[in-house]
Amino acid sequence: MACGAAREGKSDTAALELLPSAPRKMNESKTGGSQNPTCVFCRKNDDCPIKYGEKKTNEKWNLTVHYYCLLMSSGIWQRGKEEEGVYGFLIEDIRKEVTRASKLKCCICKKTGASIGCVTPRCKRSYHFPCGLQRECIFQFTGNFASFCWNHRPVQIITSNNYRDSLPCTICLEFIEPIPTYSILRSPCCKNAWFHRDCLQVQAINAGVFFFRCTICNNSDIFQKEMLRMGIHIPEKDASWELEENAYQELLQHYEHCDVRRCRCKEGRDYNVPDSKWEIKRCQCCGSRGTHLACSSLQSWEENWECLECRGILYNSGDFQKAKKHTLPNTNVGITDCLLEESSPKLPRQSPGAQREDLLRQGSKFRRDISTLIIELGFQIKKKAKRLFINKANIWNSALDGFRNQNFNPSYTIEIAYVNENDHFGKEQPGSKQEFLSLLMQQLENSPLFEGSLSKNLSLNSQALKENLYYEAGKMLAISLVHGGPSPGFFSKTLFNCLVYGPESTQPILDDVSDFDVAQIIIRINTAATVADLNSLINEYYNYLELIGCLRLITSLSDKYMLAKDILVYHVIKRVQAPFESFKQGLRTLGVLEKIQTYPEAFCNIFCHKPENLSTKILSDLFTVHTLSDVQALGFWNSYLQAIEDGKSTVTMEDILIFATGCSSIPPAGFKPTPSIECLHMDFPVGNKCNNCLALPITSTYKEFQENMDFAIKNTLRLEKEENSHFIGH
């Protein structure tokens, strides 16, 4: 499969210029300086090889291009040798193509410079390469390097769909609907293999043409042909893992550990003495299990030994003469945790949502109501239920155990059962899902995974990183939103922008720095009055600046701003790169991150802002009234709400909502079921959080009504807080 087949002179050459070590006579774009030149075709300064190809600047001619923008332009051909011009495209030809494109208006962004046209006859659509990505056009990096608009792009035709339930993407293992769309592709050789387009593209760039193949059957020819037709870019390069230094060093190490149930060696399981009974013999089938000769009663090294896993396979096969298949050793780490933790550090995955930023800002037709968006995400939830057993005094660990359970599927309906570890009878009490999610989000906000007072950023916690808690936190947040949980409301704008547009496109501010000492360093640098003062500060903080890689030569006083910016970017973004990537992967659960990146304006409100304060009108409209309710009690209820709003009660509107539903605010997707009110002949109110029902007492006077309401609500919430604080204190 030659991905670099000529297109009337065009070629997709040598590693598609994605190898960082590939020598070039072109100069790299300077991303660290003040200049960030724009591509002459798309007029964007983004430097993202995954989306736009490598960005190159010819300083002699002051010309910058994205490789894909150049390659896909309709009116230019490669007439020079590879080392001539830009990738073999002559400078004069590039200028002619830019002139031609300047007369064509992009049908998407309505700006001139649309150098790419749909190849379908009679279709007059022209567009920039980034705009085409935003509108889900398809670009074929093979043959004639054709491009197709959204109306004429090739599609995968499935004759029949026998899949009733969601299936996992065979790369990232997230569940997807098995319906071929622009974002979802099916393998041409394995009918039960489905993929995210993003997952396929990242795998193709990492694997290259020599290793990119179907993940199920290992077919390459049929698979690559179909993926090229559907616009997957397969570079002619070695696989990224083969380019890493000492990538296979661990293969040179022998396994030396005794894995039998009862090791008899007093020196421990790792003790290995050759030519003795304490020599470790490895499994002859898989080589990933071992035993001391004495621990398995082996008389000599020549005797064969199989571990339990391999032995079970051999005995169950019924044919001992066949070649023995290797099995993977048992492990406590789930396969999804291994594959979803993070992508290759060299080629990070990027969602197409980040590519839509400019388009989203242009028209109101892309602005969607947040409740509608979350309800759409909720369509993934199946009727099949999964019960989580939650210790209300230990919400975080209970949730962590439940979500990490191998039988847990985030698309199943969640049921909550509260348990008490001090209850020796093991009684279960039905719990409110929305109350559980509300408590979980409070725990997440106050956890050491985040730092800051009101607007929080990710912290750097090595223990949490080791335990994969950042991934779990992102996963919890995604599950909470889709299953009707509350607004997070504690993200900083910087953290949100990093998730949507990428860290490389985000500039932090001083408020993002929670470390007082670091903030003081930045302030002192920004307020330096002379170059001498600035150099004095650099000498004072020399060790720190050297440690974080922010030392720079000072030639003028204005250099202080770049120095302060470098410190900001390091402390807020680069320092927490590993936690951020892990958190982002968790947030991909149920497609939440992609939805956020597609509609950032809608999600920004619930991620970066607390919900509006409750009022009498909001609560009155929120609760529906049962038809047979007592008229006088309802009158007392309305007067009670007004008294709270006027500050005549120690109870707050939020207290009432917590008492009735377990939530302190209205979730973005609303309550399910809808909160309701009923009036009963009793002394005190009762809140049923499972049904979101508030039972009001029927009293003879308003004073008695208010006193009973205040007493019940205040004491109920106080007891719940004391139970939680008692656990935290221990």
Side-chain angles (χ1 to χ4, degrees), residues 357-388:
E357 176 186 358
D358 293 333
L359 190 60
L360 287 170
R361 299 181 182 276
Q362 291 172 12
S364 59
K365 64 179 180 179
F366 291 103
R367 297 192 180 97
R368 302 281 300 282
D369 181 74
I370 185 62
S371 60
T372 304
L373 295 173
I374 292 180
I375 290 172
E376 288 176 359
L377 286 170
F379 291 156
Q380 305 173 75
I381 300 176
K382 301 178 177 64
K383 292 183 178 180
K384 184 174 181 179
K386 171 62 179 177
R387 176 169 293 187
L388 298 180

Side-chain angles (χ1 to χ4, degrees), residues 504-523:
E504 68 280 355
S505 302
T506 302
Q507 177 57 48
I509 60 176
L510 185 59
D511 289 343
D512 292 319
V513 180
S514 60
D515 189 306
F516 178 79
D517 294 332
V518 176
Q520 287 300 308
I521 293 174
I522 296 173
I523 292 172

Side-chain angles (χ1 to χ4, degrees), residues 70-265:
L70 176 63
L71 189 66
M72 300 307 302
S73 293
S74 303
I76 189 171
W77 293 265
Q78 185 187 48
R79 297 195 299 131
K81 297 181 180 179
E82 188 63 25
E83 63 274 8
E84 293 184 274
V86 184
Y87 305 111
F89 294 87
L90 302 181
I91 298 297
E92 58 186 274
D93 292 343
I94 296 176
R95 288 182 168 178
K96 289 179 181 179
E97 177 65 1
V98 172
T99 302
R100 183 191 71 86
S102 66
K103 302 173 184 178
L104 300 175
K105 182 179 290 187
C106 176
C107 63
I108 300 172
C109 72
K110 309 305 180 185
K111 297 179 180 179
T112 58
S115 62
I116 304 173
C118 177
V119 299
T120 303
R122 298 183 181 180
C123 181
K124 303 299 183 182
R125 290 191 177 97
S126 296
Y127 34 83
H128 304 101
F129 184 83
C131 296
L133 290 180
Q134 293 165 0
R135 281 304 301 269
E136 300 182 347
C137 300
I138 281 184
F139 303 92
Q140 294 180 342
F141 294 88
T142 185
N144 292 328
F145 290 80
S147 65
F148 299 86
C149 70
W150 53 94
N151 281 343
H152 302 119
R153 70 190 182 203
V155 296
Q156 289 185 310
I157 300 176
I158 307 299
T159 55
S160 62
N161 189 353
N162 298 323
Y163 303 103
R164 297 181 180 178
D165 297 326
S166 299
L167 294 176
C169 166
T170 59
I171 297 176
C172 73
L173 301 184
E174 288 185 6
F175 281 85
I176 55 179
E177 292 299 323
I179 301 173
T181 62
Y182 175 81
S183 301
I184 306 298
L185 301 177
R186 190 176 78 159
S187 171
C189 41
C190 293
K191 305 307 180 184
N192 60 340
W194 295 81
F195 311 90
H196 291 107
R197 175 180 288 271
D198 292 342
C199 296
L200 275 173
Q201 185 58 79
V202 171
Q203 179 152 315
I205 291 178
N206 276 293
V209 67
F210 305 110
F211 291 95
F212 183 58
R213 55 195 66 187
C214 176
T215 56
I216 303 298
C217 69
N218 226 24
N219 177 280
S220 61
D221 292 340
I222 298 175
F223 185 75
Q224 287 191 12
K225 183 177 180 180
E226 174 67 4
M227 294 303 111
L228 286 168
R229 185 180 76 90
M230 296 306 298
I232 298 299
H233 180 207
I234 311 174
E236 291 182 356
K237 72 179 187 71
D238 292 327
S240 59
W241 55 83
E242 292 194 336
L243 303 175
E244 296 178 7
E245 188 177 357
N246 298 324
Y248 303 100
Q249 188 68 29
E250 66 275 8
L251 298 181
L252 303 177
Q253 300 176 0
H254 295 298
Y255 186 83
E256 296 182 350
H257 184 80
C258 181
D259 295 294
V260 298
R261 182 174 298 179
R262 293 183 180 179
C263 178
R264 301 176 183 176
C265 182

